[in-house]
Amino acid sequence: MNGAGKNEPDGTPTHDPGKAPTNDPSSASRRRRHVAFVALALGATVLPLAVLAMLLGGVTLDGLGRIGWDFLTSYPSRRAARAGILPGLVGSISLISLTAALAVPIGVGAAVYLEEYGKRTRIARIIELNIANLAGVPSVIYGLLGLGVFVRTLGMGRSLLAGACTLALLVLPIVIVASREALKNVPDSTREACLALGSTRWQAIRQVVLPMAFPEILTGVILAVSRAIGETAPLVVIGALAYVTFLPDGVLAPFTTLPIQIFDWVSRPQQSFAVNAAAGIVVLMGTLLALNGVAIGLRARLQRRKA
Amino acid sequence: MTAATASATSEPSASLGTGAVGDPSGAVEPAVGDEDPRPLTGRAAPWHERVIEIGLFACAGVSVLTTIGIVAVLLGETLQFFGEVSILDFLTDTQWTPLFSDKHFGIWPLLSGTLVTSGVAIAVALPFGLLAAIYLSEIASPRVRSLVKPSLELLAGVPTVVYGYFALVTLTPLLQHVVPGLSGFNALSPGIVMGVMIMPLISSLSEDAIHAVPQSLREASYGLGASKLATIFRVVLPTARSGIAASVTLAASRAIGETMIVAIAAGQQPRLGIDPRQPFETMTAYIVKVSLGDIATGTTEFRTIFAVGSALFVMTLSMNLLAMRLARSFRGAL
């Protein structure tokens, strides 16, 4: 690519006439090369998708037979055939609900501030740059942040609440960026109409702008939630447990989640636990597919309305 | 450069609100644009809106606090760590054995694990991602593009623990038939899987860059008799090169910070080397290993994860900043 890079666009014409005699009469070879490249590019685009489809198909075959009512409602066990994912499921659902309850109001609030109030002020630009940088911080670093701030300094311990706070900070950039995009798509004429009718700025935002942006904000929230559901590393770092035989009885209780349970099973050498991991993955992927289906459906409906 | 346009567009609603109310009353008071619409409804006291605005500002401030928190936690613990272990040892020792009785604190083996796995990932993701970007932008019909692009993004949405399972349980046994001397834990298999995961990052951002190349350049190239392929490789890609470089830098940063795939499938052996068939321990996998173990917090052994985390943070942050700069120079060049 670097070699090509030295050939500035204006270098091309001096090159081509020299080649033209060999190229021109055999436009068939030119076409053949074109077709070959299209096939290569198409192959490179489709192959990773095909590989993923095959992997997911394989894990479904491996795990589907293991899934049943018992698997969903049992506690982990030293014997693979009796182990279940109940604590992981309950932990994941409680953790994600708490995370969303924290991240959605803060994220949407931040987006409203940046888009409606502080637009293009210097402080807004600093915050924007900061959010862009946070989005690139590895999730395991958020785990260290959670360990230092929520678990130790704020004394939450290795609890659901500490996990939810950590994950909320992790997905906050996703919620903010998506909500800002949604607010941007509300035409300014709408805001002006509200103000002309005598509403205050906040009334216009609360009663007209936010309701109009709501479906798109919801799509962003679903994306953030699906990211949070699959997160494992930061929760391991803040000290979520791998082997839990009880259900959390409050926000300060220790917990495990479905991905951590899968991680625990994958890490064991016995083949029977790998089957459990496969079954856990089927449940996790099923949940994610359902969520993404809802998000895609919402987006499609939105686009139809715009068109 | 954008200051003039910024001030002109920053508060269109407020200035228009002033105009709308100002006209009937006959007097325009520019200083009170915010409160002006109030007389028409007679509701909503200004102080309560001011409180809401402060609340919203506080929400936006959470992101700044997050950054401060990350830097404070990493810096505080890392400084304490370097009070106990020489920073020179950390940067020059070639052994990493903080949990053994003969302790060495050289970051190089972990760095080598991170670089080898990420190198494999980029070697996979770069050709596939770039070809996909060219296909989507220059070849595919808009219909195909609108179908394939979101599908590719699914690759990035699969939880990493699932990818880890694929690397360890599915891919490694397959590769062992093909690659001689491949150990059960290795850098190759998680590297390839990581490549699949970060490929949509390259394809999506590179496609944006390629798409942004002005059509007039392509037409000029065609007008001079160049074929489509020549136009793509001699005109379009060179023009989009800093945008493409930005996407690759971001993808590499993502690979360096990726944790679960390598923690599951790359093994837990710190090793200074470049042979991807061997087991490695990455910086991220080490942090996970210590977190899972029962090392008491507050010991030097435990503080290693903050020192390693700091190194990881500095690496990914500088790569992200570089990517932003590349993307900005690309937009500036167009």
Side-chain angles (χ1 to χ4, degrees):
Chain A
M1 219 204 82
N2 264 338
K6 281 177 196 115
N7 253 328
E8 284 303 318
D10 50 331
T12 314
T14 56
H15 259 265
D16 246 25
K19 275 188 188 167
T22 49
N23 251 4
D24 243 330
S26 58
S27 75
S29 94
R30 207 190 229 198
R31 190 167 309 139
R32 222 176 299 132
R33 238 184 306 162
H34 180 81
V35 169
F37 178 75
V38 169
L40 179 70
L42 180 64
T45 313
V46 176
L47 183 67
L49 285 171
V51 167
L52 180 71
M54 265 160 48
L55 289 173
L56 287 176
V59 79
T60 309
L61 284 182
D62 286 348
L64 207 56
R66 184 71 186 76
I67 295 179
W69 190 244
D70 281 350
F71 184 69
L72 297 177
T73 56
S74 297
Y75 292 90
S77 164
R78 302 259 177 237
R79 269 181 287 165
R82 285 181 51 189
I85 55 170
L86 183 64
L89 266 187
V90 174
S92 275
I93 293 169
S94 341
L95 185 73
I96 296 312
S97 315
L98 262 178
T99 303
L102 289 165
V104 173
I106 297 177
V108 175
V112 168
Y113 179 80
L114 292 172
E115 229 16 76
E116 307 285 332
Y117 288 93
K119 212 175 179 183
R120 308 225 188 190
T121 57
R122 172 180 291 201
I123 185 129
R125 219 167 312 154
I126 293 172
I127 293 174
E128 262 166 46
L129 187 69
N130 183 55
I131 291 169
N133 275 317
L134 280 180
V137 172
S139 63
V140 69
I141 302 272
Y142 279 92
L144 294 174
L145 168 75
L147 181 64
V149 173
F150 301 123
V151 175
R152 291 208 213 142
T153 310
L154 296 180
M156 295 178 189
R158 296 161 180 256
S159 63
L160 262 180
L161 185 62
C165 289
T166 308
L167 283 192
L169 293 185
L170 176 68
V171 298
L172 207 50
I174 304 176
V175 178
I176 295 177
V177 170
S179 307
R180 287 191 68 183
E181 232 22 74
L183 292 170
K184 255 183 219 154
N185 285 338
V186 177
D188 268 343
S189 56
T190 310
R191 297 181 181 82
E192 287 155 10
C194 293
L195 295 176
L197 287 170
S199 83
T200 64
R201 210 189 230 185
W202 173 245
Q203 284 170 332
I205 293 167
R206 212 191 70 115
Q207 294 175 13
V208 180
V209 177
L210 277 180
M212 281 180 79
F214 178 72
E216 223 183 315
I217 293 179
L218 195 62
T219 312
V221 168
I222 292 174
L223 288 181
V225 164
S226 6
R227 168 85 193 273
I229 290 179
E231 270 307 334
T232 319
L235 299 174
V236 170
V237 174
I238 67 157
L241 304 168
Y243 191 85
V244 175
T245 52
F246 53 86
L247 299 181
D249 57 353
V251 294
L252 290 175
F255 68 104
T256 190
T257 67
L258 188 49
I260 292 177
Q261 184 64 67
I262 294 169
F263 175 46
D264 180 52
W265 280 332
V266 172
S267 311
R268 291 169 191 239
Q270 301 94 325
Q271 173 60 30
S272 47
F273 279 108
V275 174
N276 280 7
I281 286 173
V282 172
V283 175
L284 182 65
M285 290 307 296
T287 315
L288 283 176
L289 277 180
L291 270 173
N292 274 293
V294 172
I296 290 168
L298 271 175
R299 205 183 300 171
R301 241 182 79 182
L302 261 174
Q303 274 163 355
R304 220 176 303 137
R305 200 192 305 165
K306 258 182 223 158
Chain B
M1 171 195 111
T2 52
T5 49
S7 60
T9 54
S10 64
E11 296 193 329
S13 46
S15 57
L16 261 154
T18 315
V21 181
D23 278 342
S25 68
V28 177
E29 293 164 315
V32 285
D34 272 4
E35 288 97 318
D36 246 352
R38 184 168 57 99
L40 285 181
T41 55
R43 289 159 49 199
W47 67 266
H48 122 260
E49 296 227 348
R50 207 53 51 83
V51 171
I52 289 172
E53 192 179 333
I54 292 171
L56 295 173
F57 177 73
C59 289
V62 168
S63 77
V64 179
L65 287 182
T66 307
T67 306
I68 295 174
I70 290 175
V71 173
V73 167
L74 290 181
L75 202 64
E77 295 278 345
T78 305
L79 285 179
Q80 263 186 300
F81 174 76
F82 285 131
E84 292 149 8
V85 172
S86 145
I87 189 167
L88 206 68
D89 285 350
F90 187 71
L91 294 178
T92 58
D93 200 327
T94 55
Q95 283 184 65
W96 180 260
T97 55
L99 311 181
F100 295 175
S101 51
D102 176 27
K103 293 186 195 318
H104 286 275
F105 297 94
I107 186 82
W108 285 102
L110 295 186
L111 197 61
S112 141
T114 293
L115 293 182
V116 171
T117 48
S118 306
V120 173
I122 288 293
V124 171
L126 180 58
F128 280 93
L130 199 53
L131 281 171
I134 295 171
Y135 177 76
L136 290 175
S137 172
E138 303 294 306
I139 299 170
S141 67
R143 220 185 105 81
V144 171
R145 181 168 168 268
S146 71
L147 210 73
V148 172
K149 205 173 175 181
S151 315
L152 279 179
E153 255 135 61
L154 282 182
L155 292 175
V158 175
T160 54
V161 68
V162 177
Y163 274 127
Y165 172 92
F166 290 152
L168 181 68
V169 179
T170 316
L171 188 58
T172 296
L174 271 179
L175 286 176
Q176 276 174 327
H177 292 298
V178 188
V179 182
L182 187 73
S183 19
F185 293 105
N186 57 74
L188 188 63
S189 169
I192 292 173
V193 169
M194 234 166 25
V196 172
M197 184 188 78
I198 60 174
M199 176 226 165
L201 207 64
I202 295 186
S203 69
S204 176
L205 294 175
S206 293
E207 203 248 85
D208 291 345
I210 292 171
H211 202 72
V213 172
Q215 191 58 27
S216 56
L217 285 184
R218 294 185 186 86
E219 281 157 7
S221 172
Y222 295 146
L224 290 164
S227 67
K228 185 152 193 163
L229 283 190
T231 306
I232 291 173
F233 283 100
R234 299 273 178 83
V235 178
V236 177
L237 290 186
T239 312
R241 64 178 181 270
S242 50
I244 293 169
S247 79
V248 176
T249 314
L250 265 187
S253 156
R254 183 70 54 86
I256 287 173
E258 171 41 42
T259 309
M260 295 319 290
I261 301 176
V262 285
I264 291 172
Q268 306 279 353
Q269 298 179 28
R271 174 195 307 274
L272 191 57
I274 53 163
D275 184 354
R277 294 175 304 170
Q278 295 176 316
F280 278 93
E281 182 163 60
T282 67
M283 300 162 80
T284 50
Y286 174 75
I287 296 176
V288 164
K289 181 174 81 179
V290 171
S291 304
L292 282 173
D294 42 12
I295 298 161
T297 57
T299 57
T300 308
E301 287 85 344
F302 195 79
R303 266 186 210 114
T304 51
I305 66 173
F306 289 96
V308 172
S310 295
L312 183 67
F313 180 68
V314 169
M315 284 168 71
T316 53
L317 182 68
S318 35
M319 292 179 80
N320 293 340
L321 290 175
L322 174 68
M324 271 186 218
R325 172 167 290 192
L326 283 167
R328 207 176 317 134
S329 86
F330 171 62
R331 280 196 298 272
L334 280 185

